[in-house]
Amino acid sequence: TQNARCVLPLEQFAHYHFKIHIYDEVKSAVTSAVIYSINEGRRSGEIIDRDVLSVIVEMYETVGIGMFDFYAADLETPVVESSRQYFSELLQGWVDDGIVSASTFLTNAERARKEELAVITGHLSEASKPRLVQLDDENRVLVRRSFVTYYFGVCKGLPEDAVKVIHAFIE
């Protein structure tokens, strides 16, 4: 029974020291590496070492001891924000280019939305599913807004104020 009393404090002690001496020192670099692998690797067709990625995700989850606070703050949020920025910039680039038909724009945007969700899903834990559903919903709205901007602003030449009125109407 005395051993049972010592185990938990020793485990907590080890966990605490792992967090402050290892985790806190590497989390920023590791998160950046995951985001880099998404941005430069997976989106360009490179194969990602799934075993390494699982160990990384598990490390973030383990530090929270069954709670996903560290995982959510230190990995999930930066990856989701990076995805949101990437997708927004991708669509804006297509709007700015204005070189395809409206139907091609919409088809490409929907395909890119689905691909982006698949990429991000492959880099995060199952615990991120509600957050990824929310991100996908936001990206659906962004596709609609970008399409309206593209179709009415670029293809039809409506002034920006008129496009804003249409945005307000569809939301």
Side-chain angles (χ1 to χ4, degrees):
T1 58
Q2 184 176 356
N3 287 343
R5 284 183 282 177
C6 293
V7 171
L8 186 57
L10 180 58
E11 184 178 329
Q12 288 174 341
F13 177 82
H15 187 266
Y16 171 78
H17 284 282
F18 171 80
K19 184 188 175 307
I20 64 169
H21 294 294
I22 297 172
Y23 178 81
D24 287 346
E25 295 295 321
V26 302
K27 70 181 177 188
S28 179
V30 171
T31 299
S32 294
V34 170
I35 291 171
Y36 178 84
S37 79
I38 294 169
N39 291 340
E40 303 301 323
R42 180 82 165 113
R43 289 186 184 125
S44 65
E46 290 180 28
I47 301 206
I48 302 218
D49 187 334
R50 293 282 172 206
D51 293 335
V52 170
L53 187 59
S54 318
V55 169
I56 291 169
V57 169
E58 187 178 327
M59 177 190 73
Y60 281 92
E61 292 172 336
T62 301
V63 170
I65 312 177
M67 297 173 49
F68 290 95
D69 298 346
F70 293 107
Y71 167 80
D74 298 336
L75 182 65
E76 179 186 76
T77 296
V79 168
V80 166
E81 290 306 315
S82 174
S83 174
R84 184 177 285 121
Q85 180 180 352
Y86 166 82
F87 192 67
S88 176
E89 290 173 1
L90 178 69
L91 292 178
Q92 187 59 51
W94 291 348
V95 167
D96 292 345
D97 289 346
I99 56 173
V100 297
S101 69
S103 62
T104 300
F105 178 91
L106 190 56
T107 301
N108 290 348
E110 278 299 313
R111 183 180 323 113
R113 181 190 59 77
K114 291 173 184 172
E115 288 171 0
E116 184 62 13
L117 181 62
V119 167
I120 298 306
T121 300
H123 282 78
L124 294 175
S125 165
E126 185 67 29
S128 295
K129 189 169 184 164
R131 184 91 182 261
L132 296 177
V133 167
Q134 178 186 2
L135 175 66
D136 192 45
D137 289 345
E138 292 169 9
N139 284 345
R140 286 176 199 271
V141 170
L142 187 57
V143 165
R144 285 194 306 265
R145 289 182 58 80
S146 296
F147 177 74
V148 165
T149 300
Y150 188 82
Y151 182 74
F152 290 104
V154 175
C155 296
K156 298 296 182 189
L158 288 179
E160 189 175 327
D161 289 344
V163 173
K164 286 181 182 177
V165 169
I166 296 170
H167 281 165
F169 180 73
I170 65 166
E171 290 177 2

